[in-house]
């Protein structure tokens, strides 16, 4: 049931001991004992973290109050003022209605890890959700999947205007009232009727109508859904966050060549293990983005290039000549920090310059690229936090549990056991033993024809050929009758096959893990806001295993 490539599987301990050790050596901290790793990381935070905590907490508090965060989330932020306080961070690209279920699993996982570490380390540990509003892949952010009343997965897609420039951040995609109402109406049509679903729709409507951008809508929904578990939200596109991140951006800029070399070295180390690097390396990439027209416009990758007199300058990807010298670009970052942001390489570094991160709760893909970043952190004088795999889970609703019992199936064996179960269901409807019956019939036909064929051939060559053709025709008729018999058996097994199809649809939708398709808001619409607190109860590991969460 668990997704994730070979590097992720080895990182979580699925493989030969030597291979697991080799992959874990790519990271600063060994996930085999994450609490001990967190103790070591806490010492590093005490040395490396220089952010102004008061300014950070004030800015985050203002933002979270504006988006309607709960008193518990605001209280969690207050605890960050303590100079000993640490943060457990997780994050996800902004998506319509919060996107796939793994978004809420990440959020719940961050809270669970923070609670464990606070107990073990005897110091404040605050969970924080990083909304990746800077990402510009609208094709991943503009839709959500829900299981409709016909037991089919239905996609709801927010239709952008089509006038958005290529490369615009999700946090800059302005909402259109008509489109918001359209997706809300579709949400009402797809969700099961009842007061709980009505409450979920009202929540989506209330947050959508006051949001300016698609990214803001996501942040407001996360704040509301996770209010009961005290999870604050950080939006890196907010002006105050850009100002606070400015020194980190300048650090990345100054070390851009060293970061590029470290990234290439990380890729080589992974390749030596027989694995494929997660990230593509582009020569000259400064690992930062620029918004040349301001944050509302597209973001374009910054690259280093040769300038006059052999100096290294910087420009935007596609430029023929540099736009800035190194000093000019540093001055631009200082003067207009809102025009610059991190990419997949530098975002974790910038995140950990803003927050006292003891651990990051990461998905399989993120763990794949974190394996390349240890040297990149070192290039700016920092170390990587503990990388804690997010909880992975399949939700077993009561109707699904009943189907599993009826078909005598265990959820952990799916989907591989479904093919055998289908065959068994069809065979169970075979009351006459179709295979054996038609096997005997074929043998009887062949036995009857065996003495006749040579005799007829000896008597007349043409008669011999006709006899063989006649035997083949009889076999074709037998095959037709056999197919018809199996058709009747399948019809009689239709109920069982339908139940198996429902199981596949519910537990392995669209040929992949449930957590990668099902929208978390759909779960809330069935079981209420309390379900998010229930997800916190899922053990974040170790061991890092896929869980099956049975709901009452």
């Amino acid at each position: 049931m668990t997704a994730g490539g070979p590097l992720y599987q080895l990182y979580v301990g699925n493989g030969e001991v030597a291979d697991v050790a080799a992959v874990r050596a790519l990271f600063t901290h060994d996930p085999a004992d994450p609490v001990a790793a967190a103790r070591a990381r806490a010492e590093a935070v005490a040395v490396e973290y220089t952010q102004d905590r008061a300014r950070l907490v004030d800015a985050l508090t203002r933002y979270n109050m504006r988006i309607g965060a709960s008193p518990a989330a605001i209280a969690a932020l207050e605890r960050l003022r303590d100079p000993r306080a640490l943060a457990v961070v997780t994050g996800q690209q902004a998506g319509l209605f919060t996107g796939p279920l793994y978004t809420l699993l990440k959020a719940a996982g961050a809270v669970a890890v923070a609670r464990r570490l606070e107990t073990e380390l005897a110091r404040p540990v605050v969970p924080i959700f990083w909304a990746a509003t800077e990402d510009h892949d609208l094709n991943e952010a503009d839709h959500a999947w829900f299981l409709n009343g016909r037991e089919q997965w239905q996609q709801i897609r927010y239709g952008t205007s089509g006038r958005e420039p290529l490369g615009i951040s999700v946090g800059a995609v302005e909402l259109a009232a008509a489109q918001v109402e359209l997706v809300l109406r579709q949400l009402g049509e797809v969700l099961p009727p009842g007061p709980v679903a009505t409450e979920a729709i009202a929540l989506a409507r209330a947050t959508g109508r006051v949001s300016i951008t698609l990214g803001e809508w996501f942040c407001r929904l996360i704040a509301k859904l996770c209010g009961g578990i005290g999870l604050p939200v950080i939006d890196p596109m907010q002006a105050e966050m850009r100002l606070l991140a400015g020194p980190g951006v300048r650090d990345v800029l100054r070390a851009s060549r060293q970061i590029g070399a470290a990234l290439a070295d990380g890729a080589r180390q992974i390749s030596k293990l027989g694995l494929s690097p997660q990230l593509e390396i582009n020569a000259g990439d400064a690992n930062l983005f620029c918004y040349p027209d301001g944050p509302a416009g597209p973001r374009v990758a910054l690259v280093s290039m040769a300038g006059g007199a052999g100096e290294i300058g910087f420009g935007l990807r596609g430029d023929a000549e540099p736009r800035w010298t190194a000093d000019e670009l540093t001055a631009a970052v200082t003067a207009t920090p809102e025009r610059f942001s991190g990419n997949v390489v530098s975002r974790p570094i910038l995140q950990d310059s803003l927050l006292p991160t003891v651990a990051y709760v990461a998905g399989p893909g993120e763990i794949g690229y974190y394996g390349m970043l240890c040297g990149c952190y070192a290039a700016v004088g920092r170390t990587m936090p503990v990388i804690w795999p997010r909880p992975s889970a399949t939700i077993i609703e009561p109707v699904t549990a009943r189907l599993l019992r009826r078909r005598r199936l265990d959820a952990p064996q799916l989907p591989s056991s479904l093919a055998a179960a289908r065959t068994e269901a069809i065979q169970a409807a075979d009351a006459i033993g179709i295979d054996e019956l038609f096997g005997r019939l074929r043998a009887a036909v062949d036995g009857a024809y065996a003495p006749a064929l040579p005799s007829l051939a000896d008597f007349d060559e043409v008669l011999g050929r006709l006899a063989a053709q006649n035997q083949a025709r009889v076999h074709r008729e037998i095959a037709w009758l056999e197919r018809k018999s199996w058709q009747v058996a399948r019809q009689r097994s239709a109920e069982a096959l339908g139940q198996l199809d429902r199981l596949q649809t519910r537990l392995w939708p669209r040929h992949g893990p449930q957590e990668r398709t099902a929208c978390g808001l759909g779960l809330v619409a069935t079981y209420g806001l309390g379900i998010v607190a229930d997800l916190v109860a899922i053990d974040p590991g170790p061991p890092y295993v896929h869980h099956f969460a049975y709901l009452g």
Side-chain angles (χ1 to χ4, degrees):
M1 283 287 186
T2 306
L7 188 147
Y8 167 79
Q9 294 296 339
L10 291 169
Y11 185 77
V12 298
N14 298 330
E16 297 294 330
V17 172
D19 295 334
V20 168
V23 162
R24 289 177 171 177
L26 299 170
F27 298 77
T28 304
H29 301 285
D30 190 337
D33 188 351
V35 174
R39 287 195 179 94
R41 171 62 184 167
E43 295 179 6
V45 170
V47 175
E48 298 172 7
Y49 188 64
T50 59
Q51 188 62 254
D52 185 330
R53 286 179 181 262
R55 285 185 64 196
L56 174 70
V57 173
D58 288 347
L60 285 175
T61 299
R62 282 190 290 270
Y63 173 70
N64 276 267
M65 290 182 70
R66 183 168 70 79
I67 64 172
S70 68
I74 302 301
L77 287 172
E78 263 313 294
R79 298 167 66 234
L80 271 181
R81 294 185 191 276
D82 187 328
R84 298 179 67 250
L86 302 168
V88 171
V89 185
T90 194
Q92 184 58 38
Q93 180 188 30
L96 182 65
F97 298 136
T98 73
L101 176 60
Y102 58 64
T103 301
L104 292 185
L105 287 170
K106 279 184 165 183
V111 173
V113 169
R115 290 176 181 176
R116 179 186 297 183
L117 291 182
E118 179 154 311
T119 299
E120 295 285 351
L121 304 183
R123 62 198 297 173
V125 181
V126 179
I128 297 181
F129 189 94
W130 182 285
T133 54
E134 296 170 316
D135 286 6
H136 55 258
D137 192 345
L138 291 181
N139 289 330
E140 289 188 5
D142 66 357
H143 64 276
W145 290 90
F146 296 88
L147 188 65
N148 64 24
R150 300 184 302 278
E151 294 278 321
Q152 297 172 339
W153 287 99
Q154 182 174 329
Q155 185 187 77
I156 298 178
R157 182 178 293 274
Y158 179 89
T160 56
S161 68
R163 296 187 297 274
E164 292 84 6
L166 187 66
I168 188 172
S169 293
V170 174
V173 176
E174 293 188 359
L175 293 174
Q179 274 298 314
V180 170
E181 291 304 319
L182 176 60
V183 296
L184 287 170
R185 185 169 69 251
Q186 292 173 341
L187 182 66
E189 293 169 353
V190 74
L191 291 179
V196 179
T198 300
E199 182 181 1
I201 296 166
L203 180 61
R205 175 172 286 106
T207 51
R209 284 180 172 174
V210 296
S211 297
I212 297 173
T213 68
L214 189 58
E216 182 182 347
W217 194 4
F218 173 82
C219 292
R220 286 181 179 273
L221 264 179
I222 288 291
K224 291 295 186 182
L225 296 179
C226 299
I229 58 175
L231 182 67
V233 176
I234 181 170
D235 179 357
M237 290 192 71
Q238 295 301 301
E240 290 183 290
M241 290 301 106
R242 295 282 204 210
L243 282 170
L244 291 169
V249 174
R250 292 194 293 273
D251 288 344
V252 170
L253 183 59
R254 281 192 292 266
S256 62
R257 297 183 70 181
Q258 293 92 329
I259 290 174
L263 190 65
D265 183 61
R268 283 191 294 270
Q269 291 183 53
I270 289 174
S271 296
K272 285 180 181 178
L273 300 178
L275 303 171
S276 299
Q278 182 84 12
L279 300 178
E280 180 181 346
I281 298 175
N282 297 306
D285 200 330
N287 292 301
L288 290 168
F289 281 104
C290 174
Y291 294 89
D293 302 322
R299 65 176 192 163
V300 185
L302 279 171
V303 294
S304 61
M305 55 182 64
E311 293 183 352
I312 297 298
F314 291 87
L316 303 180
R317 180 167 291 154
D319 284 351
E321 296 180 352
R323 296 190 184 204
W324 305 275
T325 65
D327 289 342
E328 288 170 343
L329 186 54
T330 300
V333 169
T334 302
T336 56
E338 71 279 1
R339 293 178 58 211
F340 299 91
S341 72
N343 73 346
V344 67
V345 173
S346 59
R347 190 272 305 160
I349 298 172
L350 298 177
Q351 168 188 286
D352 299 337
S353 73
L354 276 171
L355 302 167
T357 311
V358 64
Y360 182 79
V361 176
E366 291 172 305
I367 287 173
Y369 68 69
Y370 263 107
M372 299 173 65
L373 300 187
C374 197
C376 300
Y377 272 86
V380 294
R382 295 181 177 276
T383 53
M384 187 187 295
V386 179
I387 305 303
W388 204 307
R390 70 158 171 83
S392 177
T394 297
I395 305 300
I396 310 292
E397 299 184 67
V399 64
T400 309
R402 288 195 296 271
L403 289 171
L404 287 168
R405 289 194 298 270
R406 195 170 298 169
R407 304 312 325 157
R408 301 187 304 279
L409 292 171
D410 292 325
Q413 304 305 316
L414 300 178
S416 58
S417 62
L418 282 174
R422 286 190 174 94
T423 300
E424 181 182 339
I426 294 172
Q427 290 175 344
D430 175 16
I432 59 174
I434 294 173
D435 284 339
E436 184 179 351
L437 174 65
F438 280 90
R440 292 197 305 268
L441 182 56
R442 287 189 178 91
V445 168
D446 289 340
Y449 272 84
L453 289 174
S455 297
L456 288 169
D458 290 343
F459 183 65
D460 182 84
E461 182 179 351
V462 174
L463 285 176
R465 289 198 300 272
L466 290 173
Q469 292 170 5
N470 181 257
Q471 182 186 19
R473 188 179 301 112
V474 171
H475 276 296
R476 287 195 295 273
E477 291 296 322
I478 291 172
W480 176 85
L481 186 59
E482 183 179 29
R483 289 194 300 273
K484 286 294 184 181
S485 300
W486 276 118
Q487 184 178 348
V488 171
R490 288 189 182 92
Q491 289 171 349
R492 291 180 177 177
S493 64
E495 180 181 359
L497 292 176
Q499 292 168 355
L500 293 171
D501 287 342
R502 289 180 69 192
L503 283 172
Q504 168 125 17
T505 298
R506 286 173 165 269
L507 300 180
W508 196 252
R510 301 176 61 240
H511 309 290
Q514 179 198 73
E515 61 188 14
R516 300 189 66 82
T517 289
C519 180
L521 187 61
L523 195 64
V524 172
T526 304
Y527 298 96
L529 287 172
I531 192 65
V532 181
D534 293 339
L535 296 179
V536 177
I538 296 174
D539 186 356
Y544 306 108
V545 297
H546 187 83
H547 296 269
F548 294 88
Y550 286 79
L551 303 182

